[in-house]
Amino acid sequence: MTSTVPASVTRTADGHALQAVLLDMDGTLVDTEGFWWDVEVDIFGELGHPLDEAWRDVVVGGPMSRSAAFLIEATGAAITLGELSVLLNERFEARIAEQVPMMPGAERLLAELARHNVPTALVSASHRRVIDRVLQALGPDRFTLTVAGDEVLRTKPHPDPYLLAARTLGAHPSRCAVIEDTATGVASAEAAGCRVVAVPSVGLIPPAPGRTVVRSLEEVDLPFLRSLITPLN
């Protein structure tokens, strides 16, 4: 976990009820969810096991340990979880070394949050080594805090990553707006008690109490995020 958090951040600088914005990475800020599937298909193809396209919805958004274990069991491939994890990280890093495409609206939203001094955290199930590579494109100074999937005992869909981010920022989970693109990430944020904005990248995410579904980050700005949090008394 990397952090530039001051001693206490209990609300945004201008006193609004929104205390922090917590964002997923793959498929939310950067258009890389397809990269993970592509490298999975390539690796298992080399092992002699084509992947069923239907499995994509199973593995998307989850921790590598879960996704990799599922694919090994589903295919019966002769590879260990540790070996596969190394290969996946190496192939993915090679892909993002060539290009890290931003999702529509991501650059504008991050700039707006920074301009208004809103505490902002990147909360991802990806490993630290991958996050640090992507941060070179996103700009590490855009985030008060970053949390990687290999830095918590239980990553998404468990609430631990978002609870850690909120606690480190000095914010209450109910005063945090989370932006996620997968059902796994949404489940994690909602279990932590955060207000969720879902921007589906793979598969459908239906609206629900405490959850707002939008088509793109281009529909999301700071006034919109503030409107989701109940004003403080």
Side-chain angles (χ1 to χ4, degrees), residues 113-179:
L113 295 175
R115 189 166 61 252
H116 290 273
N117 298 312
V118 178
T120 304
L122 183 69
V123 183
S124 176
S126 291
H127 289 188
R128 169 55 56 187
R129 58 186 283 186
V130 170
I131 287 180
D132 286 345
R133 287 290 189 92
V134 175
L135 279 172
Q136 294 174 22
L138 289 175
D141 57 323
R142 295 275 183 74
F143 302 95
T144 315
L145 170 72
T146 63
V147 178
D150 55 344
E151 294 173 340
V152 290
L153 183 61
R154 302 185 307 170
T155 189
K156 304 173 187 180
H158 297 287
D160 305 36
Y162 283 111
L163 290 174
L164 174 62
R167 183 171 65 249
T168 306
L169 291 172
H172 192 280
S174 67
R175 303 293 183 189
C176 295
V178 169
I179 305 178

Side-chain angles (χ1 to χ4, degrees), residues 22-218:
L22 317 178
L23 303 107
D24 175 53
M25 186 177 77
D26 295 302
T28 299
L29 291 176
V30 290
D31 191 8
T32 50
E33 285 289 10
F35 288 8
W36 284 111
W37 179 248
D38 289 345
V39 298
E40 289 161 349
V41 168
D42 288 346
I43 290 170
F44 278 91
E46 293 166 8
L47 294 170
H49 297 277
L51 298 186
D52 189 323
E53 183 70 24
W55 295 342
R56 184 172 183 173
D57 288 344
V58 179
V59 301
V60 68
M64 182 179 295
S65 57
R66 188 195 72 183
S67 301
F70 169 82
L71 292 175
I72 291 172
E73 182 178 357
T75 61
I79 188 170
T80 67
L81 181 58
E83 291 169 339
L84 180 56
S85 295
V86 170
L87 282 175
L88 287 170
N89 275 321
E90 289 178 347
R91 298 285 182 91
F92 184 80
E93 287 181 57
R95 288 292 302 271
I96 62 176
E98 300 172 3
Q99 180 188 26
V100 182
M102 299 282 284
M103 296 296 287
E107 177 69 28
R108 173 201 50 77
L109 178 60
L110 290 175
E112 183 180 13
L113 295 175
R115 189 166 61 252
H116 290 273
N117 298 312
V118 178
T120 304
L122 183 69
V123 183
S124 176
S126 291
H127 289 188
R128 169 55 56 187
R129 58 186 283 186
V130 170
I131 287 180
D132 286 345
R133 287 290 189 92
V134 175
L135 279 172
Q136 294 174 22
L138 289 175
D141 57 323
R142 295 275 183 74
F143 302 95
T144 315
L145 170 72
T146 63
V147 178
D150 55 344
E151 294 173 340
V152 290
L153 183 61
R154 302 185 307 170
T155 189
K156 304 173 187 180
H158 297 287
D160 305 36
Y162 283 111
L163 290 174
L164 174 62
R167 183 171 65 249
T168 306
L169 291 172
H172 192 280
S174 67
R175 303 293 183 189
C176 295
V178 169
I179 305 178
E180 272 280 0
D181 72 302
T182 67
T184 297
V186 167
S188 173
E190 290 182 342
C194 302
R195 188 68 166 81
V196 177
V197 178
V199 191
S201 65
V202 179
L204 298 176
I205 301 175
R211 178 195 309 165
T212 302
V213 180
V214 298
R215 293 170 296 180
S216 165
L217 286 181
E218 293 181 320

